[in-house]
Each structure stands twice: as C-alpha cells, then as structure tokens.
Amino acid sequence: MSDHQKELAARIVARRGGVRGPFRVWLQSPALCERVESLGAFARFDCSLPEHLRELTLLMAARNWDAQYSWNAHVASAVEAGVPEAVVEAIAERREAVFENDGDQAFYQFCREVLVDHFVSDETFARAHGYFGSQGLVDAIGALGNFTMLGMCLNTFQVDLQADRRPPFPDIRGFERVSDGGDRSKP
C-alpha cells in the first residue's frame, strides 16, 4: 500500500475496528475511499435521522441491491436499534413492511418510492416531510445513495459473503439470482 492508503486504512481501523468488506475494494482508489468513508460515517453515525431509521435505510438499500454482506453486517444492529423483526423479514422477502409508528411508516414509504419508483409522490413527500423536515429527507437521500453505492461495490467485486451466515434473501445464492423470489418492485 502507498502511504496514503496506509493512512486511510489506519483511519478506517480507528473508526470501524478494521478494514473489512467494501473498504478493501475502495482502498484501491484512495481519493474515492477517503470521500466514501467520510460520507458513510456521516450516514451511519452523524446524520439527523434516528439510529433505527439510519439502519432501515441501510437494509432497504442492501435488499434493493441484493447486497448480502451489507445486510448480514447490519441486520442485528437494525433490530437492536428498534427496527421490528417483522419489518426486517418483510424487506428480506420483498413484501410490504408495516410499522406501528406512523412516522416510521411514512419514512419507509418515502425510501421505498425512491428506490423502486425513482420518484416520490407529492403525498408521500408531504407526509414524510411533516415528520422529518427538509434536513431529514435530504439526509435520507444521502444515506440511500451511500448505501446504494455500497451494495453496488459489494456485488460487483463479490465481497465476502460471510460463509458462517445463513443467506438472508430467498432468491439469491452467492452472487446470482436463483429464482424470481416474488415481486421485485418492493425492496
């Protein structure tokens, strides 16, 4: 590694405990790695969204991109942060998730429309904005974008599937789709 790569690796270890998963790939482009690590740290630890919604965006983007490494690395944290297990199962199985909390449901719908439809209806936007404001929705887009890039990296470079973990998605084995697995329109 170059001096810049070593410096970045040390920073990643200090913040994240090790150079794992996508960072092993991103270190091949130190300038990108530096920026991605900074954005990822903001999305995961520092943005205005509550922890359970930060974790929810990660799971939704991971499922949208079938990024098993990302899902496996965060599913326990998401449940611990307050994402209901029934919601986690619904997302993994590409079923509509239902929340007891109306704000969480509005947030989920907002993120789902972004990921699936690539647009957000005025009604969904207004409802989510009422709960999270402009900063919350901008931070949601930043998190979804970061976690989308993460999923693309993990799958393209076939990053470790954690052999000790059960495959999280019924329609994916390794880096291949094994069946339709249901309705792909719902991450």
Side-chain angles (χ1 to χ4, degrees):
M1 286 196 291
S2 70
D3 288 343
H4 190 200
Q5 288 169 312
K6 288 176 187 175
E7 175 190 326
L8 287 169
R11 190 179 325 153
I12 292 165
V13 168
R15 189 183 319 227
R16 298 170 184 270
V19 178
R20 293 182 289 277
F23 292 102
R24 293 185 356 224
V25 174
W26 284 326
L27 274 171
Q28 303 305 306
S29 176
L32 177 64
C33 182
E34 189 165 23
R35 288 160 176 87
V36 167
E37 195 282 328
S38 180
L39 176 60
F42 174 77
R44 285 211 40 230
F45 307 116
D46 298 325
C47 78
S48 68
L49 300 171
E51 182 182 9
H52 74 287
L53 296 182
R54 294 190 310 257
E55 292 290 343
L56 178 64
T57 59
L58 194 146
L59 292 184
M60 290 180 74
R63 183 53 172 132
N64 190 64
W65 286 93
D66 302 320
Q68 297 170 91
Y69 179 94
S70 186
W71 180 279
N72 285 339
H74 289 275
V75 69
S77 298
V79 171
E80 186 177 306
V83 178
E85 288 189 34
V87 165
V88 171
E89 290 171 14
I91 293 169
E93 296 169 4
R94 293 195 191 279
R95 293 184 287 108
E96 185 75 21
V98 178
F99 294 79
E100 291 181 18
N101 178 287
D102 191 55
D104 290 354
Q105 188 70 48
F107 185 83
Y108 167 80
Q109 183 65 30
F110 175 85
C111 293
R112 192 190 75 65
E113 288 184 21
V114 168
L115 291 170
V116 174
D117 301 333
H118 308 155
F119 300 96
V120 177
S121 72
D122 291 345
E123 178 183 339
T124 296
F125 184 90
R127 185 171 167 223
H129 192 271
Y131 285 103
F132 303 101
S134 296
Q135 181 179 357
L137 297 187
V138 169
D139 285 354
I141 294 301
L144 286 171
N146 176 74
F147 300 140
T148 289
M149 178 174 46
L150 173 65
M152 292 168 62
C153 175
L154 293 168
N155 287 349
T156 300
F157 293 95
Q158 297 187 359
V159 172
D160 179 22
L161 288 179
Q162 305 131 313
D164 61 329
R165 302 291 299 267
R166 184 177 140 256
F169 310 134
D171 58 330
I172 304 296
R173 289 297 172 272
F175 292 98
E176 295 182 351
R177 189 166 313 287
V178 293
S179 70
D180 184 1
D183 184 356
R184 288 196 37 83
S185 69
K186 297 178 182 166

